[in-house]
Amino acid sequence: LKVSSVWAHMHLIGKEVRLTAELPNGKDVKLLKIADWDFNWQDTYLYKHPVILPKGTKLKAVWKFDNSAANPRNPNDPPKRVLNGESSTDEMGGLWLGGEVANELDMVALLLANVGHYFEVESKKKAR
């Protein structure tokens, strides 16, 4: 996969977002780090040079949230319980990579890997 961009998304109590690619050779490549998230920064970030992620790369994303009174961006005063949802006063985290694959077979392999990962995560949730 040749990655040319990344788009990050959180809402108002988002604090930090990081995305790292762990290459099959064990090397880590930092793809994104926003240490002090601002809701207005939801944008597509373009890489100066595309990043090549070979087959077998694992992506690791970390989202941090601050639902405390010390967070000046917290819309709730006093803070209240925040749930996952679509409203700006709810919370979520998402990352999208933009890029291209070498051919149609690579596209199918990438889609199957994503579907497989989804079911792996869901089965772990049910096992808890």
Side-chain angles (χ1 to χ4, degrees), residues 48-93:
K48 194 177 236 182
H49 304 285
V51 179
I52 305 299
L53 301 179
K55 181 179 178 180
T57 297
K58 294 179 182 178
L59 297 176
K60 296 185 220 173
V62 174
W63 292 272
K64 292 184 180 178
F65 304 91
D66 181 357
N67 192 26
S68 73
N71 179 0
R73 296 182 187 112
N74 192 340
N76 303 305
D77 185 20
K80 67 176 189 174
R81 184 172 186 216
V82 176
L83 300 174
N84 183 45
E86 299 292 324
S87 173
S88 294
T89 56
D90 296 326
E91 199 48 80
M92 62 166 55

Side-chain angles (χ1 to χ4, degrees), residues 119-128:
F119 285 111
E120 179 183 326
V121 169
E122 290 302 309
S123 68
K124 286 179 182 177
K125 284 181 187 176
K126 290 178 184 174
R128 290 184 208 158

Side-chain angles (χ1 to χ4, degrees), residues 9-100:
H9 181 81
M10 289 192 294
H11 291 160
L12 296 170
I13 64 167
K15 187 65 178 166
E16 179 181 340
V17 60
R18 288 181 280 141
L19 178 63
T20 304
E22 182 184 301
L23 304 182
N25 65 8
K27 180 181 176 188
D28 284 346
V29 176
K30 293 178 184 173
L31 298 174
L32 178 71
K33 180 178 180 184
I34 300 175
D36 189 17
W37 175 260
D38 184 310
F39 182 71
N40 297 306
W41 294 351
Q42 296 177 70
D43 204 348
T44 301
Y45 295 91
L46 303 174
Y47 296 117
K48 194 177 236 182
H49 304 285
V51 179
I52 305 299
L53 301 179
K55 181 179 178 180
T57 297
K58 294 179 182 178
L59 297 176
K60 296 185 220 173
V62 174
W63 292 272
K64 292 184 180 178
F65 304 91
D66 181 357
N67 192 26
S68 73
N71 179 0
R73 296 182 187 112
N74 192 340
N76 303 305
D77 185 20
K80 67 176 189 174
R81 184 172 186 216
V82 176
L83 300 174
N84 183 45
E86 299 292 324
S87 173
S88 294
T89 56
D90 296 326
E91 199 48 80
M92 62 166 55
L95 291 161
W96 289 262
L97 294 177
E100 60 185 272

